[in-house]
Structures are given as structure tokens and as C-alpha cells.
Amino acid sequence: MSGRVSVIIPAYNAEKYIAECLESVLNQTYKQIEVVVVNDGSIDQTAEILDCYSSKYSFVKVIHTENRGVSCARNTGMNAATGEYVMFLDSDDFLALNAVEI
């Protein structure tokens, strides 16, 4: 496969598991990845965790919005995505090491 893959992750109050989710994307065997995380108005430490990742990795985009629900968060992510392909991942899930490549 060739071309960038945008992985869109809506996140709401995901401080307990967002790091594991992001690490599973960052460690993919396929490297042409853009990560778009939409913080959907979280009131816990999710925003701070996401901002830390986006400051470390130039291909991690974080969009902060007011809480409008997962569908709006996914649509916001789609509008910001620049990849040729799109994947969705929930913030409490993680990807197998070669999921994007496959």
C-alpha cells in the first residue's frame, strides 16, 4: 500500500486510555500516518495528554471542540484529514502492530 492514512480518533474524557490508544497508532509498521484527534470537550486531563503528543509528533493533529458528540467529532476529524485513506479508531481501543499496513 502507498499513500498517507489518516487515523481519526474522537476523544471524550479518555485520560485513562488515550495514551495507549495513541501509542498503538504511533508504533504501526506502516509509517505514512497522520493522526487526527478531536477532543470533544473533555473535562478531565485528555486535552493536556493530547497536547503533549502533538508537541512531540508533527503528524499528530489535535482539534479541541465543545462537546457535540462522537458523530460531530468524527466529521470534524474528516474535515481536517489530509490522507488518501481514512481509518477511525475509538479512544478506548488500540490497533494491532500491523493493522494499518494490512
Side-chain angles (χ1 to χ4, degrees), residues 10 15 17-18 20 25 38 42 45 59 64 67-69 73-76 80-83 86-87 100-101:
E15 69 180 4
Y17 30 78
I18 192 65
E20 182 180 8
V25 178
V38 180
S42 297
Q45 298 299 308
F59 57 93
H64 298 284
N67 182 256
R68 297 177 298 160
R74 285 187 179 124
N75 288 335
T76 299
T82 62
V86 173
M87 288 182 71
V100 175
E101 185 175 0

Side-chain angles (χ1 to χ4, degrees), residues 29-51:
T29 55
Y30 189 80
K31 297 300 183 188
Q32 289 182 305
I33 294 176
E34 166 191 55
V35 183
V36 180
V37 188
V38 180
N39 174 32
D40 191 31
S42 297
I43 56 174
D44 63 0
Q45 298 299 308
T46 299
E48 290 80 1
I49 295 167
L50 294 176
D51 289 342

Side-chain angles (χ1 to χ4, degrees), residues 3-9 22 25-26 28 30-37 57-63 76-89 95 100:
R4 186 189 318 217
V5 176
S6 294
V7 180
I8 299 172
I9 306 169
L22 288 170
V25 178
L26 298 175
Q28 288 295 299
Y30 189 80
K31 297 300 183 188
Q32 289 182 305
I33 294 176
E34 166 191 55
V35 183
V36 180
V37 188
Y57 302 98
S58 61
F59 57 93
V60 176
K61 296 180 186 178
V62 176
I63 302 168
T76 299
M78 283 287 294
N79 289 335
T82 62
E84 189 176 340
Y85 303 97
V86 173
M87 288 182 71
F88 292 100
L89 181 63
L95 295 174
V100 175

